[in-house]
Every structure is written in structure tokens, then in C-alpha cells.
Amino acid sequence: MFRFARPRRSGGAHAPYEPRDLLRAYERHATREVRASSGELLIVIPLGDDGVLEITVVDPSADWIESRIRGLCASLAEIDRRAQRILRGEFRIGWIEIDSAQHGLIDYWAIGVNSEYAIDISWTGDAWVESPAAR
């Protein structure tokens, strides 16, 4: 397995969604498959902590998939930092669904209990951000 870089500012704490590392993992190690049951595209990106990031794209034939996944790799760290302030570090991303070129959903799962928290995300043309209505 490959290793993710450790950010200097955090004293070496592991940061699984840092843009450069996540993009590298996507480019070099991600798997893709179209689910026979739903027809959705499942992209699995391995993370440096032996976990994975699962991204489902509702329309596997869409011509915008590559740009939106790359944008997600660049944006996810900031979205997650904001979410973790609210969730107090007690939740972890369970999966991400991109249902159109402009909209997606990040589903957080509680660590150790049966609870979840969803965040709507929107494409700005350059990056994914938490949807204004969700803030």
C-alpha cells in the first residue's frame, strides 16, 4: 500500500483527504465498475489508512465525470474540515453520490454507532462546496 504525506501544520496527523494525495490515489489506484443492479458507476479510491473512499455516479456515461471527480479530490479536504467542526470528529465519510454535474451528497457515518449525517454539495464551476442551503 502507498503512504499519504503528513501535513506539517498538524504535527504529522493523518489527513486522508489532502488534495494532492487524494488525486494521486485516484489517478494511480482507483477502481471503477458499473453496478449491474443499478447501472451506477462506482469509483473506489484507496486511502492511506487502509480505508477507501466510495463515490457513486448516477449516470456512468456522463461526459463530466472526470472533471467532477478531480474537482472532488481538490475540494474534499476543505468540505471535510468544515463538517468535522460540526460533527466533532465523531463521524467519517461513508460514501459520496454525485447525481448530476452540479449536485452531490456526502454521507457521513458515526463512528461506533448507527447514525448518519448528510451534506449536500454543489459544483461552482471550479470546485465542490457545501450547498448554501445546507450551511
Side-chain angles (χ1 to χ4, degrees), residues 2 22 25-33 35 41-47 50-57 69 96:
F2 56 96
L22 192 55
Y26 168 65
E27 291 173 341
R28 297 180 183 172
H29 304 286
T31 60
R32 293 172 174 244
E33 81 175 68
R35 293 178 168 165
L41 174 64
L42 173 64
I43 300 170
V44 178
I45 303 172
L47 302 174
D50 293 329
V52 296
L53 180 63
E54 292 187 0
I55 304 167
T56 301
V57 180
I69 298 299
I96 299 172

Side-chain angles (χ1 to χ4, degrees), residues 28-89:
R28 297 180 183 172
H29 304 286
T31 60
R32 293 172 174 244
E33 81 175 68
V34 175
R35 293 178 168 165
S37 60
S38 65
E40 298 171 333
L41 174 64
L42 173 64
I43 300 170
V44 178
I45 303 172
L47 302 174
D49 64 357
D50 293 329
V52 296
L53 180 63
E54 292 187 0
I55 304 167
T56 301
V57 180
V58 175
D59 180 2
S61 64
D63 61 356
W64 47 259
I65 293 172
E66 187 67 19
S67 66
R68 297 316 189 267
I69 298 299
R70 289 178 168 283
L72 185 63
C73 290
S75 309
L76 193 56
E78 183 59 31
I79 294 169
D80 187 58
R81 275 192 277 278
R82 292 178 151 222
Q84 292 304 334
R85 282 194 293 263
I86 295 166
L87 302 172
R88 298 184 180 127

